[in-house]
Amino acid sequence: MDLVQNSLEAGAKQVIVRVDEAVDQLILEVQDDGCGMSEAVLARALDPFYTDGRKHRHRKVGLGLAFLKQMTDATGGMLRIESQPGQGTLVHCRLDRRHVDVPPAGDWVQTFTGMLAFDGDYDLVIERCADAEMHYRICRSELIEALGELQTAASLKLAAEYIVSHEEALQKGKENGTIDA
Ligand SMILES: Nc1ncnc2c1ncn2[C@@H]1O[C@H](COP(=O)(O)OP(=O)(O)O)[C@@H](O)[C@H]1O
Ligand SMILES: [Mg+2]
């Protein structure tokens, strides 16, 4: 959610989120066509001592890129950020799910619904994979076409139900050892 929010704050019009879960690892990728970062801005963003706390005054600690970097470093994960000013940013993160200090992934339905519901004129594509195999793909613009703006409780509920049905199919596929696209 936080990475997508960064992308939108960077003025992105197209955001691609990839979540790939395997038994032992979780790969998260957020790619955007926002304003990008210079090397200096990126270095500052990764510096845990920099955060000025102005932008998210009421935010809990433990979010943001610096946190993600600390967490991946401390748990044997990997964080790679590719960014070009004026072009966009790719954040690629691999986490060892067996490491005790890696927080649980949480509720994907809620997370995906939340990122689809951010206000603004942008497209968001969510690619959900399991063991590197693509399982389902959600496109915000297509959802909005079908459900209307994702701002009302009713359309958000339908969006969540849609994601739930895909997640259930994925979990079922995992149990049966087969995954249908
Ligand atoms: N996707 C992105 N595109 C451009 N700049 C970004 C992106 N993600 C992060 N940044 C830059 O890195 C800074 C730190 O991000 P973050 O750690 O999420 O903290 P915050 O969003 O509270 O500033 C942002 O303020 C922004 O300048
Ligand atoms: Mg942020």
Side-chain angles (χ1 to χ4, degrees), residues 2 6-7 9-10 32 35-37 41 45 55-56 59 64-65 89:
D2 200 43
N6 280 346
S7 296
E9 286 167 353
D32 71 54
C35 66
M37 284 175 272
V41 169
K55 208 162 83 181
H56 301 288
R59 189 167 75 174
L65 291 180
T89 301

Side-chain angles (χ1 to χ4, degrees), residues 13 49 77 118 137:
K13 291 290 165 215
F49 300 108
F118 282 129
R137 189 171 178 277

